[in-house]
Amino acid sequence: MAKNKYSILLPTYNERENLPLIIWLINKVLDESGIVFEVIIIDDGSPDGTLDAAKQLQNIYGEKKIVLRPREKKLGLGTAYIHGIKHATGNFIILMDADLSHHPKFIPQFIKKQEEGNYDIISGTRYIGDGGVYGWDLRRKLISRGANFLARILLRPGASDLTGSFRLYKKEILEKLISACGSKGYVFQMEMIVRARQFGYSVGEVPITFVDRFYGESKLGGNEVVQYATGLLRLFATT
């Protein structure tokens, strides 16, 4: 039987300082674990030189491990994933942030959990077991916990962390879910899990520690909170 291959999709925008670190960590952890992988970097026209940094990393690690699929401008997270999947050669897809919030050390745990139960999706969770959040102020922690609590009450998704974006999917499952999702921004991750439940896909969870970004600014603002609330009500009315 052919060995599984894992395609890691990394959408980036102004991550020049973070990208070399996350790529080094991914390469170290996965090579030491004997995992076959590729990293697909989808940069959306970053003005800070992220794409130039990605090209240098490709020269270091090779074109088989670092695949560059840039776009001219910001076109949204969902379309970035669609763009990345088109070029993925793995039979599993891993979604994670490039800003060092998601440590690659959890990827082998995701893979082990998936193999144990043949799950369609493995979701990293901050809210069970040893999971947690570091570097957030009280306001952001309350927003995140409140958002997840409301979503669990209204949508009953069967998962503890709906707004997290560190996940592993069977490739064909991710393709079906993305085609069924109409949300953007932070609501997109929530809808993916809600639709998974709706379609009867199995979801396993692995506790993770989420660390606030080292470099750059957080993209969470008032508009995102309003967008989330609106999206939550839409999903409640349609699922």
Side-chain angles (χ1 to χ4, degrees):
M1 188 174 71
K3 192 168 185 178
N4 289 324
K5 181 176 181 180
Y6 299 85
S7 297
I8 301 171
L9 304 190
L10 275 188
T12 59
Y13 188 77
N14 287 348
E15 298 291 358
R16 179 177 57 85
E17 293 175 302
N18 292 314
L19 192 60
L21 294 172
I22 193 66
I23 293 297
W24 182 82
L25 284 168
I26 289 171
N27 192 73
K28 181 177 186 296
V29 170
L30 271 59
D31 272 355
E32 289 178 352
S33 301
I35 295 166
V36 180
F37 72 97
E38 63 182 358
V39 181
I40 301 176
I41 299 172
I42 307 115
D43 185 65
D44 275 1
S46 298
D48 74 336
T50 297
L51 183 57
D52 291 334
K55 289 176 180 176
Q56 293 178 41
L57 291 166
Q58 188 180 58
N59 290 334
I60 294 169
Y61 295 102
E63 294 183 0
K64 288 187 176 180
K65 279 190 174 179
I66 307 297
V67 181
L68 307 183
R69 292 295 180 263
R71 305 189 296 177
E72 291 186 359
K73 60 182 180 179
K74 291 186 77 172
L75 297 169
L77 191 60
T79 60
Y81 290 148
I82 293 169
H83 185 67
I85 290 170
K86 289 178 181 176
H87 302 283
T89 60
N91 54 325
F92 287 90
I93 305 290
I94 294 171
L95 308 183
M96 63 186 299
D97 293 344
D99 62 5
L100 299 172
S101 297
H102 300 147
H103 199 297
K105 69 182 179 181
F106 296 108
I107 292 176
Q109 297 178 38
F110 281 27
I111 293 170
K112 181 181 178 183
K113 181 77 172 182
Q114 191 282 324
E115 291 175 342
E116 287 174 352
N118 191 28
Y119 289 102
D120 296 314
I121 303 164
I122 298 296
S123 181
T125 176
R126 298 161 288 182
Y127 301 123
I128 64 171
D130 296 329
V133 175
Y134 296 91
W136 280 2
D137 59 21
L138 181 60
R139 171 185 167 273
R140 186 154 184 195
K141 286 182 179 180
L142 288 173
I143 289 173
S144 179
R145 282 199 172 273
N148 274 280
F149 177 75
L150 279 174
R152 290 201 306 270
I153 294 296
L154 293 176
L155 304 176
R156 302 186 182 278
S160 62
D161 193 342
L162 296 183
T163 56
S165 55
F166 194 3
R167 295 176 185 162
L168 179 153
Y169 294 84
K170 291 180 179 178
K171 184 179 181 181
E172 68 275 15
I173 297 297
L174 180 58
E175 289 172 328
K176 291 174 183 176
L177 286 172
I178 287 180
S179 66
C181 288
S183 302
K184 296 180 180 180
Y186 290 90
V187 185
F188 176 80
Q189 302 294 353
M190 176 172 63
E191 184 172 0
M192 294 277 276
I193 293 295
V194 172
R195 298 298 177 196
R197 180 212 63 188
Q198 191 177 42
F199 297 156
Y201 298 146
S202 56
V203 181
E205 293 189 301
V206 170
I208 64 165
T209 49
F210 177 97
V211 180
D212 199 18
R213 61 167 50 245
F214 283 84
Y215 301 106
E217 295 182 358
S218 171
K219 300 176 179 69
L220 178 64
N223 288 338
E224 285 75 19
V225 173
V226 172
Q227 185 185 76
Y228 177 87
T230 303
L232 176 60
L233 292 174
R234 181 181 63 81
L235 286 174
F236 177 65
T238 59
T239 58

